[in-house]
Amino acid sequence: MLITILFYTFAAVLVGAALGVVLSRNTVHSALFLVLAFFTSAALWLLLEAEFLGIVLVLVYVGAVMVLFLFVVMMLDINVAQLREGLTRYAPLGALVALMVIVQIVYVTWVRRLGLTADMAFPSAEPLRGTQGSNTEALGALLYDDYVLPFQLAAVVLLVAIVAAIVLTMRSRPGLKQQDVAKQVAVRKEDRVRLVKLPAEKGP
């Protein structure tokens, strides 16, 4: 009973946060709503006893990706009025994507209610190795053994995204103060410091 109450509570907060991401007029507020959505999603993963996915969602997305996203949003010059103009234009496409997600969720729920296992519903799915231990152990064995190359490629993609965000924030715009490293290195103390000799004053 308690698990059911917690599930519906977190689900309601998640739906409200998702609506806040889409309907918020401020981009920073949308990013904060997205952080709340990630937290509530992690709580739902914990209720499903998928501790590894919940912790990864908080550490990776909330702790790294969303912090970087917030910095980019706050440092970039984003034309909010122009973004609002495209909301109604892409509304049908967004409704279509939402409908597809709802159909997939209903289908998965229907398959589980029929009592079908993962192998029966999806014959191509292979069981995780090392299922005798925890799900964290099984996922770790897959990531660092069978899928180590895609895992490293994902890390490279994230690194490229960080570099691209830094490059975007350092573009030339009015009022932006930038450092000139060559001038800083070529500075001499004779050009910056001037010693002035003053006559000594006699005490009273």
Side-chain angles (χ1 to χ4, degrees):
M1 183 64 183
L2 179 60
I3 301 298
T4 305
I5 294 175
L6 289 176
F7 173 79
Y8 283 109
T9 302
F10 287 129
V13 175
L14 178 58
V15 172
L19 291 176
V21 172
V22 179
L23 302 177
S24 180
R25 296 179 178 271
N26 193 325
T27 52
V28 177
H29 294 170
S30 296
L32 294 176
F33 275 120
L34 190 56
V35 171
L36 178 60
F38 284 147
F39 270 115
T40 50
S41 300
L44 292 176
W45 281 118
L46 291 177
L47 290 178
L48 294 174
E49 297 182 357
E51 300 87 1
F52 178 79
L53 295 178
I55 296 301
V56 166
L57 189 62
V58 173
L59 294 180
V60 176
Y61 284 93
V62 179
V65 177
M66 286 310 303
V67 172
L68 177 63
F69 186 72
L70 275 175
F71 275 107
V72 172
V73 167
M74 288 187 292
M75 285 190 289
L76 286 178
D77 246 348
I78 299 178
N79 191 353
V80 181
Q82 186 177 0
L83 292 178
R84 292 177 189 170
E85 293 176 358
L87 180 62
T88 55
R89 186 193 314 171
Y90 297 106
L93 180 60
L96 178 62
V97 173
L99 181 61
M100 292 175 58
V101 173
I102 292 174
V103 169
Q104 292 177 1
I105 294 175
V106 172
Y107 174 72
V108 172
T109 306
W110 177 71
V111 168
R112 291 194 62 180
R113 285 186 177 180
L114 290 180
L116 300 178
T117 61
D119 296 333
M120 296 173 62
F122 308 100
S124 60
E126 298 181 0
L128 291 177
R129 294 186 308 165
T131 51
Q132 292 82 6
S134 62
N135 53 7
T136 304
E137 181 181 355
L139 288 173
L142 284 177
L143 284 178
Y144 294 103
D145 190 5
D146 297 339
Y147 299 100
V148 62
L149 182 59
F151 186 75
Q152 295 297 329
L153 289 178
V156 173
V157 170
L158 288 177
L159 177 62
V160 172
I162 294 173
V163 174
I166 295 174
V167 171
L168 285 175
T169 56
M170 296 189 65
R171 73 186 191 278
S172 59
R173 60 188 180 198
L176 181 64
K177 297 182 179 179
Q178 294 183 344
Q179 293 180 340
D180 193 338
V181 180
K183 288 183 178 180
Q184 291 178 346
V185 173
V187 167
R188 300 181 304 170
K189 64 179 181 179
E190 293 82 4
D191 300 332
R192 293 296 181 93
V193 180
R194 184 177 62 176
L195 299 178
V196 178
K197 292 185 179 181
L198 296 176
E201 296 182 0
K202 296 181 181 180

